[in-house]
Amino acid sequence: MKQNIIEKILSAHLREGSLGGGEIGLRIDQTLTQDATGTMAYLQFEAMGLREIKTDLSVSYVDHNTVQVGFENSDDHRYLQTVAAKYGVVFSRPGNGICHQVHLERFGKPGTTLLGSDSHTPTGGGIGQVAMGAGGLDVAVAMGGGLFYTAAPKVYLVRLAGELKPWVTAKDVVLKMLELLTTRGNVGVMLEYGGPGVKKLSVPQRATIANMGAEMGVTCSVFPSDNVTGKFLKAQGRGADWTELKADRGAKYARVIDLDLSSLEPLAACPHSPGIIKKISELEGKPVDQVCIGSCTNSSYKDMMTVAAILKGRKVHPGVSLGVAPGSRQVLQMMARKGALTDLLDAGARILESACGFCIGNHFSPRSGGVSIRTSNRNFEARSGTADAQIYLTSPEVAAVAAVTGKFTDPRGAGLEYPAVKEPASFLVDDSMFIKPSPEGARTAVFRGPNIGEPPRNEKMPESLNGAVMIVVGDKITTDHIMPAGARLKYRSNVPKYAQYVFENVDGGFPARCLAGKAAGLHNIIVAGESYGQGSSREHAAMCPMYLGVKAVAARSFERIHAANLLNFGIAPLTFRNPADSAGLQAGDKLACPDWRAAVAEGKPVLLRNGRTGASIECVCALSERQRAILLAGGLLNYTTGA
Ligand code: MIC
Ligand code: SF4
């Protein structure tokens, strides 16, 4: 049978199910974790009684919580380092860079599967990996050799033609894709890029495009592995990792999207969604307070050298604060050796750590009501740490030009020559910030600071539901709305503490109401609109509500990773049979379902009776047999350990 690239990789890793439909179980070759999600993932790995890593490679990165105010983050870093040594995981030390950028440089391998506890893991698709994001618990299971379950995908082909014009970038390609596919309605889709335009894109450019597939909600975005991929791997000293990957002639796709690279122009995602796309020419002249260049989307060597070339001999506008965070230590070291760092310093840039930093609102928050141009991938409300700031997402080129002019400027009309930075023939390879597993490592004593708690467990699913609606929210609620990041991130390993901030920026009274409901024997329910749980993979957006006694989320639709996380923590994801029913619900409504457990166990519709209105609301809990068993057990940890 003729196969596309995704089918080729998936069928080589398929251990359960069929690519024709339903749930599939995949063997995972590589995993990655980062510190914000990883600490809980390794605690869960330990709680499941797993003894060693069964993947070809597992890497633990420290890149998210690198602002060490207080002991909590440092404690987590040391826990991660010691637990990695004990179980055979490669440890990437803080300062070594952002997980996705570093993984692409040093480990990504065409034709393999990569599962990461971070929603931007699909960045690896730039090098021909089926790279997927998941909750930490799913990654812990995969590290222990368990399968990763997901829906058999619908594969769309994005057929690229032509070539990008000067000042038009990979970021503009993916922003255009976001305009076409939007940020919702793409659950279960995998994108495969192809067509003659692909060979004009470098691996880091492909990675930028694959990275922001996460914002469309697709499971992954995969590029072919061709000569360009081979050259990149060779330049990283990893020529032996190359294999060719291309679709068979006549391979089938569920949908084909044609995109002519030469028709694109510089774009921006506007507040407060990566799906609100405008042309830079439409924003021309709008004053800018802050420019942040970096993140896993746009912080490669070429991105940074281009920015430095634009800023060379110029000064940052007095009204703008410019922060630059190179994506990896490799990029930073090369910039230093080439003098690009000096050019940035001379221009007045503030050099930030090679880490997530500003992207996750960990520092560098803009002023109140400020306008910030960023090269990252998410501009959700309040994510920057300043609730009323206006965040725009653009290419590094547009960002650098705005840093000089102090306003949105279409770079094509700015009278500048486009800096022709080439991919290097060889990158600087220095792996000394990785700690590789060793036989002595297995005897390491695991360090646990006072901030590190036990992974919480749910109880078995109750026989009947004695529900109470604790909050009603609208469409496109992100996991940043549910579980704020930024300054709160340091409580990631301490669930009772972190749970105090659930829905902090939406309704600060939610945790206390839930705890009171729980104490009164109620089963707390969240009611939501479409595309609930967009964005981050953080399982805390399920784990902390679970801790607060949430038993079900009733929504019009869910995003993939969050729906899986809800199940993993024993919270039922219910979909309204009639979407209009959600409008008839209010906070405080009591929703009862006497045969709750039986209905879920038998895969029947769930009928919720509203005590206030007397209405009966039909919900669907469409699950595979395996998923039903997980839910009935009260989550994946109980299911796996037979508790
Ligand atoms: C993000 O970009 O939102 C994060 C922070 O990287 C998250 C992971 C997390 O919450 O730790 C993600 O994308 O999954
Ligand atoms: Fe880090 Fe931002 Fe990338 Fe998330 S999106 S991994 S916070 S750089």
Side-chain angles (χ1 to χ4, degrees):
M1 214 185 83
K2 312 258 180 268
Q3 287 187 311
N4 58 46
I5 295 171
I6 290 178
E7 285 166 345
K8 285 185 188 188
I9 302 177
L10 292 184
S11 40
H13 292 84
L14 192 69
R15 298 292 178 272
E16 273 179 36
S18 126
L19 295 184
E23 199 179 43
I24 53 173
L26 298 171
R27 138 106 198 155
I28 296 298
D29 300 320
Q30 300 190 342
T31 64
L32 71 79
T33 54
Q34 37 87 342
D35 51 309
T37 54
T39 309
M40 196 47 78
Y42 294 101
L43 286 167
Q44 289 162 336
F45 182 89
E46 293 183 291
M48 284 185 284
L50 299 169
R51 309 222 69 82
E52 57 175 356
I53 295 303
K54 294 271 174 54
T55 49
D56 298 345
L57 172 85
S58 288
V59 189
S60 171
Y61 293 91
V62 178
D63 54 2
H64 278 63
N65 299 346
T66 54
V67 177
Q68 290 148 231
V69 180
F71 61 90
E72 292 91 343
N73 290 336
S74 308
D75 280 4
D76 283 3
H77 299 173
R78 187 46 62 118
Y79 166 75
L80 288 168
Q81 182 171 345
T82 52
V83 88
K86 180 160 175 146
Y87 294 106
V89 174
V90 176
F91 183 67
S92 174
R93 302 182 64 187
N96 204 26
I98 305 175
C99 54
H100 309 303
Q101 173 66 26
V102 178
H103 206 84
L104 190 79
E105 292 168 356
R106 306 303 309 139
F107 301 114
K109 216 167 153 179
T112 60
T113 49
L114 166 68
L115 192 71
S117 62
D118 191 283
S119 65
H120 290 104
T121 306
T123 310
I127 207 161
Q129 288 190 291
V130 165
M132 299 167 287
L137 188 46
D138 282 333
V139 177
V141 168
M143 281 192 287
L147 302 182
F148 173 62
Y149 293 89
T150 190
K154 287 180 283 213
V155 181
Y156 294 1
L157 173 67
V158 186
R159 197 160 47 196
L160 302 176
E163 197 174 343
L164 292 170
K165 297 208 174 110
W167 299 106
V168 186
T169 66
K171 185 63 156 280
D172 303 307
V173 177
V174 73
L175 292 179
K176 186 71 193 175
M177 285 300 299
L178 270 151
E179 189 178 66
L180 296 174
L181 287 185
T182 79
T183 59
R184 59 178 148 173
N186 303 311
V187 175
V189 171
M190 294 189 179
L191 295 180
E192 182 170 314
Y193 285 82
V198 164
K199 62 175 183 301
K200 305 283 184 192
L201 298 172
S202 67
V203 167
Q205 284 178 309
R206 297 173 187 185
T208 295
I209 297 170
N211 174 281
M212 280 191 84
E215 278 50 70
M216 296 163 219
V218 300
T219 309
C220 60
S221 304
V222 182
F223 278 81
S225 171
D226 55 9
N227 289 343
V228 176
T229 323
K231 270 200 196 136
F232 175 83
L233 282 166
K234 206 159 158 238
Q236 287 286 355
R238 300 201 288 125
D241 285 347
W242 185 72
T243 40
E244 191 180 27
L245 260 183
K246 58 178 181 192
D248 292 334
R249 203 179 282 273
K252 299 244 173 345
Y253 296 90
R255 181 175 164 191
V256 178
I257 299 167
D258 278 299
L259 198 61
D260 181 356
L261 298 175
S262 57
S263 70
L264 298 176
E265 59 180 289
L267 300 172
C270 305
H272 296 287
S273 169
I276 304 176
I277 308 297
K278 282 200 180 141
K279 295 177 180 155
I280 297 297
S281 55
E282 292 173 69
L283 298 163
E284 184 82 40
K286 187 180 175 59
V288 172
D289 301 287
Q290 186 193 60
V291 172
C292 304
I293 301 177
S295 92
C296 59
T297 319
N298 274 123
S299 58
S300 66
Y301 170 81
K302 159 109 175 358
D303 283 339
M304 290 293 154
M305 293 302 287
T306 305
V307 167
I310 294 170
L311 288 166
K312 190 179 165 95
R314 301 194 166 85
K315 292 286 176 212
V316 173
H317 188 275
V320 174
S321 177
L322 168 67
V324 181
S328 67
R329 178 166 166 266
Q330 179 184 75
V331 173
L332 188 51
Q333 284 173 309
M334 290 178 74
M335 289 168 73
R337 283 175 174 65
K338 298 248 173 200
L341 218 43
T342 313
D343 296 335
L344 289 178
L345 290 169
D346 288 350
R350 294 167 64 181
I351 306 300
L352 310 176
E353 197 177 4
S354 278
C356 297
F358 71 81
C359 175
I360 186 80
N362 236 338
H363 70 149
F364 228 75
S365 299
R367 72 157 170 85
S368 297
V371 172
S372 177
I373 293 189
R374 299 176 166 217
T375 65
S376 44
N377 45 38
R378 289 187 174 143
N379 57 349
F380 304 145
E381 204 169 355
R383 179 176 164 102
S384 67
T386 305
D388 60 358
Q390 306 287 307
I391 311 295
Y392 292 81
L393 309 175
T394 74
S395 65
E397 285 81 344
V398 166
V401 173
V404 175
T405 61
K407 53 189 188 213
F408 276 90
T409 309
D410 188 331
R412 296 169 303 174
L416 302 169
E417 201 177 315
Y418 187 65
V421 176
K422 291 216 162 33
E423 283 294 314
S426 63
F427 289 92
L428 187 154
V429 174
D430 166 7
D431 285 340
S432 59
M433 292 278 276
F434 291 107
I435 302 180
K436 303 257 167 77
S438 68
E440 314 80 72
R443 290 192 294 276
T444 305
V446 176
F447 172 86
R448 288 168 219 275
N451 188 46
I452 294 184
E454 286 288 303
R457 285 175 190 253
N458 207 342
E459 66 225 359
K460 287 201 172 73
M461 187 178 213
E463 295 298 331
S464 59
L465 183 79
N466 179 19
V469 176
M470 287 292 154
I471 192 170
V472 178
V473 291
D475 293 341
K476 300 211 297 190
I477 289 294
T478 70
T479 43
D480 276 288
H481 288 111
I482 307 169
M483 241 16 279
R488 304 294 181 216
L489 271 178
K490 65 179 184 181
Y491 300 123
R492 286 286 185 94
S493 321
N494 183 343
V495 171
K497 178 79 187 168
Y498 200 25
Q500 292 171 13
Y501 304 107
V502 179
F503 282 123
E504 186 184 21
N505 293 314
V506 178
D507 173 354
F510 179 83
R513 272 201 313 281
C514 282
L515 287 175
K518 186 177 171 187
L522 294 172
H523 299 137
N524 300 328
I525 298 179
I526 294 169
V527 172
E530 274 181 36
S531 192
Y532 184 72
Q534 288 192 347
S536 154
S537 67
R538 69 191 66 138
E539 59 189 349
H540 295 75
M543 190 188 290
C544 292
M546 172 198 92
Y547 176 81
L548 297 176
V550 172
K551 296 288 181 209
V553 179
R556 290 188 178 196
S557 64
F558 292 89
E559 288 300 312
R560 174 186 68 89
I561 302 179
H562 188 60
N565 284 338
L566 288 173
L567 276 177
N568 283 351
F569 290 94
I571 298 178
L574 304 176
T575 315
F576 293 105
R577 169 85 69 197
N578 174 7
D581 279 348
S582 64
L585 289 168
Q586 296 176 3
D589 281 356
K590 300 280 181 317
L591 300 178
C593 177
D595 63 346
W596 169 238
R597 188 177 169 95
V600 170
E602 290 159 31
K604 289 194 188 146
V606 174
L607 292 178
L608 302 173
R609 199 179 145 72
N610 188 339
R612 180 176 58 85
T613 62
S616 191
I617 298 162
E618 188 177 330
C619 291
V620 185
C621 193
L623 302 176
S624 70
E625 217 175 288
R626 186 192 66 91
Q627 290 171 322
R628 279 206 290 273
I630 291 174
L631 196 53
L632 295 174
L636 186 58
L637 210 48
N638 291 349
Y639 174 79
T640 314
T641 54

